[in-house]
Each structure stands twice: as structure tokens, then as C-alpha cells.
Amino acid sequence: MTTAVVPSSPLPSLEDRHMYYILTDDFPYGSKLFQAGSMCFLKEKTYLHSIACVGTSTQYLRVTMLDDNSIVTVKAEILHPLPEEEAVFLLAINTLSERLNCFLDRHSLEEAVKATVGQQVTVDLNQQLFTGTIRYIGKISKNSSSSPHSPSYFGVELQGGGEGRGHCDGTYNGSEYFKCKQNHGLFLPVNKIKFIPVLDCDSMKEEPQPDVDEIVPVKVGDTVGFYLDEVFRQGVAMDVHKEGTQWFVKVCPEEEGTTDVFREIPMDSVVKEGLLSSEFEPDMAPGSLRQIKRERSESGEDLESGKHSLDVNSVVQITLDKGNSVTGIIRWLGYLPNIKHRMAGVELDQEKGITDGEWQGMRYFHCPPKRGLFVKLQSCQPDMRFQSVSITPLDASTSGEIDGPQVLANSPLENGAAVQVLQGRMRGIQGHCNSCYMDAALFSLFSCTSVLDSMLFKPSLPPSGHVQKILRDEIVNPLRRNGFVAASSVMHLREQLTEKGQCSSFTTSEKDPEEFLNLIMHHILGIEPLLKLQSGGQKEQECYYYQIFIDKQEDLVVPNVQQLVEHSFLSSSLKLVEIPSCFIIQMPRFGKEYKMFSKIIPSLELDITDLLLDSPRECFVCGDIATQECSECFRDAVFADMGMKQYCNSCCRQVHSHYRRKTHRPTTLHVPEAFQVRSQMGSPRIPRERMELFAVLCIETSHYVSFVKYGPEKENWMFFDSMADRHGDENGYNIPIVKLCPEVAKYLQLPGAALAMEQPRDMEGVAKRLFCDAYMYMYQSKKMSLYK
């Protein structure tokens, strides 16, 4: 096997030597913000000169940032010096937070500097660990020879279960750095590698290592059989150690689970799994191997069915001793050294574990001490608290209808709980293969509101019940409890929609949120339409969302949602037949690309009082019961730019006595009988019907994102993007992000004229996307959702 190493080069002169630093804290500089983890350098000669001028170490250093080559003056106290041999490895890590974490983990960097070609390592591929061998260490860019700041990578040849999971044969950008089979090679940054220490050859010579397989027949991870209280049991060897001249095995019995309840068994009293045979079974009473096998088969532990749905971030329960169980979240899946079963690293809800994510000195995930547990994946069961209660299947011949499953659903997240559960990287719903339209819609509808939870509870007949179960158990409940939904769960739903919707492209192609909502609400689940509309006394129309259609209005430069809805309803002579529990409104556009308005102001409350059919309304002038409505007055520039124009009889005569409005033709309003009586007794106060905004879907260059209102304060906004970042290339995965965006409140408080003058590129944070890219607004009536 041909290998390569970094060619040696003459030592640079003082003029050419650089000093490298990493920022340990965020540092604002003008309009820029250099985040912790950013790296910079300055020439050693410049540094020595600055010290000579001041006499002591200066408080500020003028450095060159490696991200954009800008020259910046930075506080010395947040600059940590780096040896060049460490700096080149850190430069290969693109994500600043991961780079900083790697820097803080001194052991990993020190191992990288000492690493040699031919050394064994484990590599992190899609949250699974595989073994490999280092074949190359160094720079891989085409111009690496001319750039002193090029990052260094590890060229690794994958072995064992990782074979065929690589991306190359040792060649990168046409240059060969080492040789291996196609798709067996990878070039990786230091944070994706775990180094297996190289044994000291001298110490091996002084103290020859015994052949463990000959002297010690059982190794850590082996499944063994043993007798305990005269009952034959099975378990996993967690440790093998010697006390004096006798070997002992620390065993975790399978029925007790991998906890701090271990059994110390003498080596000569255990039998390795490979040596167990049917000869043991005839002599064993209850609790025998045969009984254990039957119980495990009945419990489904040996079956693969049902396990495929468990993934990283799945909520699981594990049975421990005496039937007790613990719950937790899967943080890692893969294979541990010398263990043939697929294992799960679980972070428990309570301190009943034995680790903080390490196994035999190797870290596989992070969690608090005594909260981590490594168990066979087949020992994990979905947390029954978040599964539908099983019901006995009914024969169609004996029952005309099937009751829907009872569901213990999680409550929507609000206020501090929403921040704690949802905020961060790898939070929200993970995007995959053009799924952003569905990711953004589901996050908007279910993360912080229960207005459409009827979709999860509604009794359903097969096959729609299967879709409902996926939506409830694989998406909504995990989102509300863990703050994360894996791409596989959404793909499972998309596959079902493809089948039910007779659309072969639902799993691959871009779609629109309204297409998805109409399919799942109407064609799949068959829930009652959200809106009932009537136009000009015609027959009622039912729909699930409302598309705004209006002509270009010269006076509407930066409109708010209230204005757009009122203009649209008036132009189409529409009325709401009843108060909706959920009002989904699609903004006006000329096609997907062209926006009718450069900005739209979110109306945090939508007043629908005057949009309701046959509902009592208030006179626009005096506040008495309105009896007449005038659509032409609505467009009159003399009046307010929003609010429907209706009058009592007296005010209507007075308003239309003006010569400019004598040609108007007001229409008569229906006044409920109870309000006619109250009107004769005095001026009754008309109740206002308002709906509150809970989410906004936005689109920019065919990519959908979501803004969600998670609390009552104006600053309580969070932003969700299912594909905000990515790990790896075509074999990698998307990283969803949920982050708070309180800056939205600043722009909501601006007058319309001031907001119109704001340049989108200058708007803080992600506010520009909310105001400039709004596609669909979602409003709720918590009062009506109690009845629907």
C-alpha cells in the first residue's frame, strides 16, 4: 500500500514565521461579529516589535482573520495562542463551535499532533463509528504549497463495517495522496477522528503481553451464560479483571439491563455465548436458557420488526431489574469494539446509568455523569408514554366503525419550555431531499400551538389511521418532547402521502405547503374544512386555507395582514360564515417568484368582527349598532386606511350627504334580533372577534423557513430552518436550526413609513426574511379551538 506524508520543508525565517490564535469569545468589530472559534494570525516579527515598543504585553493585537483576510484589532485576553502544528488541524474544522470544542479538548489535539501514518483510528460517519487506518496526514488543496495557512486533513482507509462507505480511492481534486479501493477512502478533519493509542514497542518487549484468547476466554462485550442462585442466566461481560491469581468477569444480567447492578462472577463459572449449546437446556428448570429465549422472543427483543423506527434522538424505555424501567433518549447508534450487536448509547432521564458517554476510554456521546448507558438496540423499546394505547382489532363484519386510538399526546411548547426544548442546532425537523415545504409547515402547525391537534386525535379508519399515527408518534410527539425529528420520520410520512396521494414525486420533488396541507387534511385525514365562506349570498364554500387576491393598490406600499385580508374580502364580496379556529392565509403573489409587495407587516392580531356574515357590527362613526355597509367608502381616501366601513342609519345618511359620496350604494346588514332589542334600550357594546398570529411561513429562492410566536411578548419569536447547515457532501445530512429572533419586535414597532425605508440587507438577524419573504400567515382562535 502506497502511503504519503507531508514533505519536509526548511524552517521559515523570523520574517516569514506566523503566530496563530483562536478567539475564545465573540468579538464585535464595526458591523462584523467574529465568533468564538474564529482563527487569526500575525507575523512573529510584528508581535515582537509591538512588545518592544510598549515594553510589556499589549492589551490589543492587530491580527489578520483567516476567515476573510480582514485586519482587525482584537483584545489580547480573548486570543489564545496556538502552535502551528495544532492550528493547521483546527483550520480544517468549518463549524466554529465544533472548532472551539476541539481546541478545548486538549487530548484530541495532542493525539492529532502525535498521529502517524499506519495508525488505527475510529471515524465518525453519520453518527456511527467505524474503524480505519491513517494513510495520509497533511494538506490537500491544490494550492497548498503556496498558502501557508492551508488546513491539514487525515486521509483514512476505512475497514470492517465501514468498507464502501467512503468517498474516494485516496485521490482528491485529481491529486493522489494515498491508494485504496474505490469508496474506501476519506479525507477528514480532526474532530471526526478518534485516535487509538499506539502501543509502546519497548514496553512490549520488557513485559510480553499474553495471548488473551488463550488465557482469558471471555472478553468485554461477550454474551455469557452463568449460574446465579441456582438459576442459569445470560448477560454481557462489562469488564474482565484479575484479583491476585484469579480472573473475574463483571456481568450485567440481561434481565437487569446495563446499569450499576453488576454481578462479579469467577471466570471458571461463566460460559461464552459461542460455547452455549442445546445440551444445557434439558437440565434447566424455569429461568433456563430455553425459557429466556422464549421470553425474549415473545417480548420481541430478537425480532428486527419495529426496531428500524428507532433512531438517534428517539425516546425509549429500557427494562431493568425486577421489572423496573428507565426512560431516555438515544444519543448514538453503532457498533462497539468486540461487540457484534448494534448498540445504542442512551442518555437517561435519571441518574441510573454508569457513564457520561464514554466506553473503554472512547467517547461516543456527551451526557451528565451516571446518565449514560450502552445497551443492545434490540433491548430498547419506544417510550410507551408517547405511543397510542393499543386496541383490539375489530372485524369489519362485526363492527360498522372503529373507534380511534386513545392518545397521550404532548402539550405544545410555550414560553421558557419552547426555548429550552427547541432552541439550538439539530433542533426542529431535519430536512432531506426537498422536504422544506413540509418541515416548515409541520413545525409551524404543531410546535407551539394545539389548534390543529384534532388531526392527531380524530378517529380514523385505515389506511388514513396509519398516516395519522406517523404524524402523531413519529413527528409531533418527538418534536414537542425532544425538540428534534429525524429526516427518516418525515420521509416515512412522505412515502405514505405518495401512496395515498397518487403522486410519485412527493418523496423527491419540491412542493408547496398548501398542496401538502390540502392533501393531508382533506384527502387523507378528512378533517372538517377550516373555513366556511360565502360570496354575495351564494352557496357556502369550504376550504382549508385562504388565498388573497387583490389588484395592485397604489396606497398600499407596506401593508399589514389586516389590510390585505379586508381588501381581498371586499373585492370578492366574501364573508366568513363562522369564526374559524384556525385561519391560514396565503399572501398575494404573481407566481412563486414575484412578490406583489416588497414588505408585509405581520398583524399580531387579526380582527375578523367585520368579516363575519350576519354578525352584529359597530357603526364606524358613533359606535352604535351598524345597519348599513358601504364598500365604496372603504376605498375613500378620506377615511382610515383599514377597517370595514359600516354605519347606523343616522350616520349613513350624514356620511352620504356629501356630494362626493351621494352615488355610493350601501348594502343593508342583518342585525340579530337580540341586538335590535338591546339597541332600543341603549347602545350595546359590540364584542370584537380577534385571532392571534402563531406562525409565518416564508419562502426565498424556493426554500421555505418558518417563524413561530412562542409566547405573549413581542420579542417571543423563533426562527426555524430545516436545512440551515449541512454535514458532509452527498452522503452527509442536513442540520436543522431553531434560533430566537427577538429583533423582530424592533421592526414591528416602527411606523409603516419608517419600515418602508429600511433596506432589507441592513435589517438585523433574520428579520428581513419575515417582513420581505412572507408566504403564509397562520392565525388561531383559542376560544374556538375548544369546540372544533
Side-chain angles (χ1 to χ4, degrees), residues 595 597-600 602 698-701 705 707 719 741 743-744 747 755 758-774 777:
K595 299 178 292 187
F597 301 99
S598 60
K599 296 187 187 77
I600 296 175
C698 300
I699 182 173
E700 183 180 26
T701 59
V705 296
F707 287 83
F719 169 78
C741 47
E743 65 271 14
V744 167
Y747 298 100
L755 184 60
E758 283 284 338
Q759 293 299 318
R761 64 178 178 272
D762 295 331
M763 297 179 77
E764 295 178 15
V766 293
K768 170 259 177 186
R769 304 183 75 169
L770 174 62
F771 289 90
C772 301
D773 302 326
Y777 282 83

Side-chain angles (χ1 to χ4, degrees), residues 311-590:
D311 206 340
V312 172
N313 291 309
S314 291
V315 185
V316 295
Q317 63 183 24
I318 304 161
T319 302
L320 302 180
D321 56 315
K322 300 178 182 179
N324 296 326
S325 64
V326 292
T327 58
I329 301 172
I330 295 178
R331 296 303 189 194
W332 171 86
L333 289 174
Y335 294 89
L336 295 171
N338 304 318
I339 297 181
K340 65 181 181 179
H341 302 285
R342 194 176 188 210
M343 303 290 287
V346 182
E347 179 181 351
L348 300 179
D349 296 332
Q350 298 175 315
E351 290 187 358
K352 293 186 177 182
I354 59 173
T355 179
D356 63 352
E358 284 193 1
W359 171 273
Q360 295 184 354
M362 187 77 67
R363 178 164 299 283
Y364 294 87
F365 65 96
H366 292 270
C367 73
K370 294 187 179 181
R371 293 276 290 274
L373 197 65
F374 288 96
V375 295
K376 294 179 182 178
L377 179 59
Q378 66 184 22
S379 298
C380 299
Q381 300 291 334
D383 192 337
M384 298 308 295
R385 294 175 299 169
F386 306 100
Q387 306 297 312
S388 59
V389 178
S390 60
I391 56 173
T392 305
L394 300 178
D395 192 306
S397 62
T398 61
S399 176
E401 61 181 51
I402 301 177
D403 293 332
Q406 299 177 14
V407 183
L408 182 61
N410 294 302
S411 300
L413 299 164
E414 295 180 330
N415 302 318
V419 176
Q420 182 179 2
V421 175
L422 292 172
Q423 183 187 12
R425 290 170 60 83
M426 289 303 284
R427 289 292 183 266
I429 302 174
Q430 186 179 36
H432 174 64
C433 196
N434 297 319
S435 67
C436 62
Y437 68 95
M438 188 178 295
D439 307 328
L442 290 171
F443 187 87
S444 299
L445 290 174
F446 295 108
S447 61
C448 299
T449 179
S450 59
V451 66
L452 286 180
D453 276 14
S454 59
M455 294 173 62
L456 313 177
F457 290 90
K458 171 190 173 293
S460 300
L461 292 171
S464 62
H466 185 52
V467 174
Q468 185 185 56
K469 188 176 187 301
I470 296 172
L471 179 65
R472 180 185 64 238
D473 298 342
E474 296 185 27
I475 296 177
V476 177
N477 281 342
L479 176 64
R480 290 175 176 176
R481 187 174 194 273
N482 307 326
F484 177 78
V485 178
S488 57
S489 297
V490 179
M491 181 57 74
H492 193 191
L493 177 63
R494 296 171 73 187
E495 290 169 350
Q496 292 299 310
L497 295 181
T498 296
E499 178 182 338
K500 305 300 184 298
Q502 300 179 345
C503 175
S504 60
S505 61
F506 236 105
T507 57
T508 56
S509 300
E510 295 179 6
K511 301 291 181 183
D512 295 321
E514 64 269 23
E515 185 177 356
F516 160 61
L517 294 176
N518 191 61
L519 175 64
I520 194 168
M521 290 181 181
H522 177 51
H523 297 285
I524 305 296
L525 298 180
I527 68 171
E528 183 180 349
L530 302 179
L531 300 176
K532 294 183 179 181
L533 303 169
Q534 189 179 90
S535 177
Q538 298 179 2
K539 186 179 179 181
E540 287 184 12
Q541 305 172 40
E542 297 181 335
C543 55
Y544 294 90
Y545 64 93
Y546 178 69
Q547 166 75 66
I548 288 180
F549 291 104
I550 60 173
D551 296 329
K552 185 68 175 179
Q553 306 286 329
E554 297 298 333
D555 55 332
L556 292 180
V557 180
V558 181
N560 58 36
V561 178
Q562 181 80 44
Q563 290 173 313
L564 293 176
V565 172
E566 289 178 351
H567 276 270
S568 181
F569 266 59
L570 193 65
S571 63
S572 302
S573 300
L574 282 176
K575 292 293 181 183
L576 289 166
V577 176
E578 61 184 24
I579 303 171
S581 60
C582 182
F583 195 178
I584 300 175
I585 308 167
Q586 191 173 340
M587 293 297 100
R589 285 175 175 263
F590 293 143

Side-chain angles (χ1 to χ4, degrees), residues 530-786:
L530 302 179
L531 300 176
K532 294 183 179 181
L533 303 169
Q534 189 179 90
S535 177
Q538 298 179 2
K539 186 179 179 181
E540 287 184 12
Q541 305 172 40
E542 297 181 335
C543 55
Y544 294 90
Y545 64 93
Y546 178 69
Q547 166 75 66
I548 288 180
F549 291 104
I550 60 173
D551 296 329
K552 185 68 175 179
Q553 306 286 329
E554 297 298 333
D555 55 332
L556 292 180
V557 180
V558 181
N560 58 36
V561 178
Q562 181 80 44
Q563 290 173 313
L564 293 176
V565 172
E566 289 178 351
H567 276 270
S568 181
F569 266 59
L570 193 65
S571 63
S572 302
S573 300
L574 282 176
K575 292 293 181 183
L576 289 166
V577 176
E578 61 184 24
I579 303 171
S581 60
C582 182
F583 195 178
I584 300 175
I585 308 167
Q586 191 173 340
M587 293 297 100
R589 285 175 175 263
F590 293 143
K592 286 185 180 180
E593 281 72 32
Y594 181 72
K595 299 178 292 187
M596 183 174 288
F597 301 99
S598 60
K599 296 187 187 77
I600 296 175
I601 304 174
S603 297
L604 298 182
E605 285 189 337
L606 186 67
D607 191 332
I608 62 170
T609 309
D610 299 333
L611 305 179
L612 291 168
L613 179 68
D614 294 340
S615 175
R617 294 161 68 179
E618 191 177 87
C619 176
F620 172 67
V621 178
C622 69
D624 200 352
I625 292 290
T627 57
Q628 304 285 324
E629 180 184 53
C630 183
S631 59
E632 294 160 294
C633 282
F634 178 80
R635 301 183 179 90
D636 196 313
V638 173
F639 298 113
D641 58 357
M642 59 186 297
M644 307 299 278
K645 304 303 180 289
Q646 61 271 335
Y647 312 94
C648 63
N649 290 333
S650 175
C651 290
C652 187
R653 286 193 298 270
Q654 185 175 355
V655 167
H656 290 96
S657 65
H658 193 282
Y659 71 92
R660 289 182 179 177
R661 291 185 286 274
K662 284 187 175 181
T663 57
H664 291 188
R665 293 292 180 266
T667 57
T668 301
L669 294 175
H670 171 75
V671 179
E673 185 175 348
F675 275 84
Q676 291 179 1
V677 174
R678 291 174 63 187
S679 179
Q680 296 171 2
M681 298 172 60
S683 298
R685 183 174 179 180
I686 306 299
R688 308 301 297 180
E689 296 293 344
R690 295 183 174 91
M691 305 187 72
E692 64 181 52
L693 178 65
F694 68 87
V696 185
L697 266 73
C698 300
I699 182 173
E700 183 180 26
T701 59
S702 298
H703 180 60
Y704 290 94
V705 296
S706 174
F707 287 83
V708 169
K709 194 79 166 55
Y710 67 87
E713 303 301 326
K714 289 185 177 180
E715 296 80 10
N716 293 161
W717 286 90
M718 60 174 50
F719 169 78
F720 163 64
D721 186 346
S722 66
M723 303 179 184
D725 200 358
R726 185 165 178 81
H727 172 82
D729 45 28
E730 67 274 6
N731 293 321
Y733 55 87
N734 290 307
I735 298 176
I737 290 178
V738 179
K739 59 183 178 182
L740 305 185
C741 47
E743 65 271 14
V744 167
K746 168 185 173 182
Y747 298 100
L748 285 173
Q749 295 170 355
L750 291 179
L755 184 60
M757 297 300 293
E758 283 284 338
Q759 293 299 318
R761 64 178 178 272
D762 295 331
M763 297 179 77
E764 295 178 15
V766 293
K768 170 259 177 186
R769 304 183 75 169
L770 174 62
F771 289 90
C772 301
D773 302 326
Y775 183 83
M776 186 176 279
Y777 282 83
M778 298 181 176
Y779 288 86
Q780 65 180 341
S781 170
K782 291 185 176 180
K783 176 179 67 176
M784 295 306 299
S785 63
L786 297 174

Side-chain angles (χ1 to χ4, degrees), residues 196-318:
I196 299 175
V198 180
L199 295 177
D200 189 332
C201 294
D202 293 336
S203 63
M204 290 178 65
K205 290 177 182 178
E206 294 174 5
E207 186 179 347
Q209 299 294 314
D211 187 344
V212 177
D213 283 332
E214 292 182 9
I215 298 176
V216 186
V218 176
K219 294 180 292 185
V220 173
D222 287 343
T223 300
V224 296
F226 60 98
Y227 279 95
L228 185 65
D229 300 329
E230 299 183 354
V231 177
F232 185 83
R233 303 174 186 271
Q234 279 188 300
V236 178
M238 305 300 292
D239 185 32
V240 179
H241 59 279
K242 193 174 184 180
E243 295 183 7
T245 59
Q246 188 174 9
W247 286 89
F248 287 87
V249 183
K250 183 181 287 187
V251 179
C252 169
E254 287 194 344
E255 66 270 25
E256 297 181 1
T258 308
T259 70
D260 51 4
V261 181
F262 294 114
R263 306 293 183 183
E264 294 277 358
I265 311 293
M267 179 69 73
D268 54 8
S269 298
V270 301
V271 182
K272 191 174 179 180
E273 181 183 41
L275 301 177
L276 295 175
S277 68
S278 58
E279 296 176 1
F280 280 86
E281 297 184 24
D283 300 328
M284 296 180 186
S288 66
L289 180 62
R290 178 183 297 147
Q291 177 74 9
I292 292 172
K293 286 182 177 179
R294 181 169 65 250
E295 290 173 354
R296 290 177 65 191
S297 176
E298 290 173 355
S299 67
E301 287 186 14
D302 289 333
L303 301 177
E304 290 298 324
S305 60
K307 302 302 178 192
H308 67 276
S309 61
L310 295 180
D311 206 340
V312 172
N313 291 309
S314 291
V315 185
V316 295
Q317 63 183 24
I318 304 161

